[in-house]
Amino acid sequence: MKSKRKWLAGILSVVMTMTFMPTYAFAGEATEGGADADAVWTVKRDYGKGEVVGNYNDIREAIEQATDECKIILNRDASGKGLYLEAVEDGDSWYKNFDFNGHTYTVTGGAKRETGETESYAIGNYSRGTFSFDNGTLKIENCSGGIRSADIKMKNFNVDASNSKDCKNAVYAEGHCSIDGNSSVKVQPGNDALNYYKFSGNNNVINTKGTIQGDINFFGESGYDEIARVLIRNGRFDGKIKNAQSVISDEEGNEDRFTHLKLYGGSFSEQPDEAYIAKGYAVKATDDGRYVVDAADPLLQKIKELREEVAEADDSMDADINVTNKKMYDIRESLDAAEESLNDGVYEDGVEKATLRAEKSIQEAKAQIEDVTLFITQKGKEYSEKGQILKDKCADLRKELKEVDRSQYDFGDFDVDEGLDSIEESAQKMLTIFSSADEKDYNGFDELYLVELNKLNKRLTSVEVKLDKIKKLPNKVNKENSAALEEARKELEETKKALAETEKKQEELNKKLDVLAAELQKTQEQLKKAEEELKKQNNAPTPSSTVTPVKKPGQVKGLKLKAGKKKVTVTYKKVSGATSYKVTYSTSKKFKKAKTVTVTSGKTVKKTISKLKSKKTYYVKVCAVKKVKGKNFTGKWSGVKSVKVK
């Protein structure tokens, strides 16, 4: 009886040493999804970093099991039928993320619809959702179209229909479409590589080092100005640009021309229309008969080069992050194997065999940790240098931007201040992710590898301690003791859960303390400013007289308009005390895109506005301005008058 109690005490002692081990101590018991390890598709949670949902040979089965936070991974070169997704109810939307993992999926024919008909597109999506495609090639055979979806995102991804006579359009974007990294879209000459259907917005950005082989076609319902706005920043384009302009007439027959394409870069086989070239950029002919769009202004060129440098550094860092994640995963696998041997193996195979397997896994983990430590050290030095260079360049650009008139530049989809903030964030990530061992530096980054490495080293130490304790146990472990082990495990899980809840409460308390500290500091600063202000007031001389408030000028009356040929003469009554007048005019009743001219004398009650469009109706209003001690005071606007220009 005493020996049995001694044995149970030993088991409990071994198990309880795991109380402060990481929560993934039993990760080896997690499900691995489907049994077919050689399946075409694997679905993983947490955008491909988490556990396996399942393995599937059919693309439709894979996509049905993938939530918005999953990644659908292509495991090898494969071929099969395409994909058809029927329409969903109003308001429903989703995000499906494919990672082809460097492989090619060849669509040999369209999928079957519910009606029994064959889908014409290789991937036909008639739902409100987004497809994201990364790292691979979709090859199209026996389909009249490639990808059709509401929103499409491509990075380092190729759509190849160059050998298919049937494929008339490779990418059909009903909503937004972004093409980044080193992506290509190829069809046979005369066919459409990219189709953009009617949709307002400018999130359609092409910024790729790859080739768009085929035409770019804009189309929508007749008379619509809401056709996709597309920005091209980089890429090689071998084909024509179709329907990139449209003319819209209003009820009075006035015409407006809308340009749906803006070029900020790229190399073209045919000379682009000047209307497409963004302000501050120019098209140049090259020796090989092509046409290149590039920034003509030095400031725009600097911004372009910095964005390209950051994109290249981000791509390099993403690749190294993937390598590091794989190395970290292998270490966890080795530690999981050691844990499994020391948990179940001790009573299934005996202590001797279990500890031998555990020792082998531990040695593998040690070698892997040594390898990843060297890798992280090298990358830490490399990205610290890159990050600091990029931060310095951002600082220089900010100084230069303070000295220029930004309205003279066309930045397209690039908000300069937010863009530089984003670049600095990338630079900070480079400075931090491989170099910081302080958990306070997470700042929203997915990983801090030195922190993770420290956790793995602690876990390795715990596993080695456990191994030493189990070596001292008898070699034969009876099955009847497994119940005691399981009970101890449950107690362990409850203890870990309680610890996690305590840590969560501690974290919430720390956040509240941080907020209170920030508010206290703010209050102290306000009190300090108030004391300084009071001190200034006490020392200031008493004013000899009360300052009389300035009376604003009155409202302009008697506004009259006289139309001339491409001009309008504006007259109005003089306002007492006015030193100047503002005359605002627009073709819109709501004064959208209005322009304003200034009459510099308060005595002048007439102004002629020239260079207007013939046959257009203009709306005009006037207000008086009174300048006192260098400060302008504006009166009420006059009533609005309209006139049609001859």
Side-chain angles (χ1 to χ4, degrees), residues 58-71:
D58 186 88
I59 189 172
R60 179 62 183 257
E61 291 181 3
I63 203 168
E64 285 179 346
Q65 299 302 318
T67 63
D68 288 0
E69 292 77 22
C70 287
K71 181 169 283 188

Side-chain angles (χ1 to χ4, degrees), residues 38-41 56-59 73-81 100 102-108 137-141:
D38 193 38
V40 175
W41 305 97
Y56 311 94
N57 286 311
D58 186 88
I59 189 172
I73 301 168
L74 180 62
N75 295 314
R76 52 186 170 84
D77 290 353
S79 61
K81 293 294 183 181
F100 276 40
H103 300 302
T104 298
Y105 185 71
T106 303
V107 178
T108 56
T137 300
L138 180 72
K139 195 170 182 179
I140 300 165
E141 297 177 357

